[in-house]
Amino acid sequence: MVLVVQSTCASDHEASPASAQATPIHSAESATGMTGESSTSDWDIGYFFGYSLGNSLRANGVSDIDETTMMQGLKDALAGRASELDADQVRAVTEYIRALRAHAVSEANALRAEKLEREAEKSRLYLQANASQPGVKTTASGLQYIIENPGEGARPAADSVVEVTYRGSLTNGTEFDATEPGMTATFSLQYVIGGWSEGVPLIARGGKVRLFVPPKMGYGERGTPNIPPNAVLVFDVSLVDFQSSSQ
């Protein structure tokens, strides 16, 4: 569930086609020890290693390289021949690559910091405007809410176990989590995001509340695969039942 602190979700994958064949290193049969037909071709294996090497070079800040000398080094290594670089040359190249990688990491961190700042500002402006909308109240922590139905009777405490139905979305309406139709979910309010720990106890059994959760009370800078960093989260929560932690 997306509510639990430190939870994560899905991931993605990227691939790229090629247009030219490469000289095989070993046949698919000898590499796998299998006999008979194999769906993995020599070209597949060669391209796999070439693409992996290219990704590794790019990750280390190398965007352009002398392909002729690179292939010579590869062939020498595969043939078991000694390197044509002496120890001083190897050391110099290693230091150069380390400097390139440090520069690439620095640039990536700077870009991430800029993105985090942009998203934080968007969230700040959204909450600032939302605070003046009809029915919206803001707590001292910055949590905003609209009580659509207060419910009846006692309200849960910050350490209660609650049974709810809910829908979570971004401010643009994109849903990232919800209970299945006709189903409920049960959480301890001690182990959910801060917006829920404070927001759900605002209503009693049978109540419904809309929560506008600031980034600091949600997933903050880390976000999740479904939730951008520094995003405001909007939850519609209906409280079905609850139990105190002592029950």
Side-chain angles (χ1 to χ4, degrees):
M1 284 291 180
V2 74
L3 298 175
V4 181
V5 175
Q6 302 295 339
S7 71
T8 55
C9 303
S11 62
D12 55 50
H13 174 265
E14 180 183 357
S16 210
S19 58
Q21 298 240 341
T23 302
I25 299 174
H26 292 292
S27 69
E29 180 177 322
S30 64
T32 61
M34 297 186 299
T35 58
E37 294 185 1
S38 170
S39 60
T40 303
S41 70
D42 294 335
W43 188 91
D44 293 338
I45 295 171
Y47 186 79
F48 169 83
F49 281 108
Y51 194 80
S52 297
L53 176 60
N55 271 331
S56 177
L57 290 169
R58 182 166 54 86
N60 281 280
V62 179
S63 58
D64 190 22
I65 195 166
D66 187 323
E67 296 179 10
T68 301
T69 55
M70 182 183 72
M71 288 304 300
Q72 184 60 52
L74 176 62
K75 290 176 181 178
D76 287 347
L78 290 172
R81 292 191 287 268
S83 171
E84 293 189 11
L85 299 180
D86 61 28
D88 289 339
Q89 290 172 308
V90 169
R91 189 179 304 109
V93 172
T94 300
E95 291 175 356
Y96 176 70
I97 295 298
R98 186 179 295 119
L100 284 177
R101 179 167 178 77
H103 179 70
V105 169
S106 177
E107 284 193 333
N109 288 340
L111 290 173
R112 173 172 167 76
E114 289 177 9
K115 181 179 179 180
L116 289 174
E117 182 58 34
R118 285 196 306 270
E119 294 301 322
E121 180 64 8
K122 283 171 55 179
S123 292
R124 186 189 69 79
L125 293 175
Y126 174 87
L127 291 169
Q128 184 181 65
N130 192 59
S132 61
Q133 295 300 307
V136 175
K137 296 182 179 180
T138 305
T139 70
S141 67
L143 176 69
Q144 296 181 354
Y145 65 94
I146 299 174
I147 294 181
E148 299 179 359
N149 181 350
E152 296 183 358
R155 298 185 299 182
D159 61 351
S160 293
V161 175
V162 297
E163 181 184 359
V164 299
T165 62
Y166 71 93
R167 177 180 184 270
S169 63
L170 304 177
T171 56
N172 64 6
T174 301
E175 180 180 297
F176 57 79
D177 196 15
T179 47
E180 295 292 333
M183 304 293 288
T184 62
T186 301
F187 303 101
S188 169
L189 292 180
Q190 296 182 86
Y191 303 113
V192 293
I193 59 174
W196 269 58
S197 297
E198 182 178 347
V200 176
L202 296 171
I203 54 175
R205 289 183 180 89
K208 183 176 182 180
V209 64
R210 171 167 286 191
L211 304 173
F212 303 91
V213 181
K216 66 180 180 179
M217 303 182 75
Y219 287 92
E221 292 187 352
R222 73 182 185 277
T224 76
N226 291 344
I227 299 172
N230 284 337
V232 173
L233 310 180
V234 182
F235 286 100
D236 291 296
V237 186
S238 296
L239 180 59
V240 177
D241 199 3
F242 72 89
Q243 291 184 334
S244 67
S245 60
S246 60
Q247 289 181 301

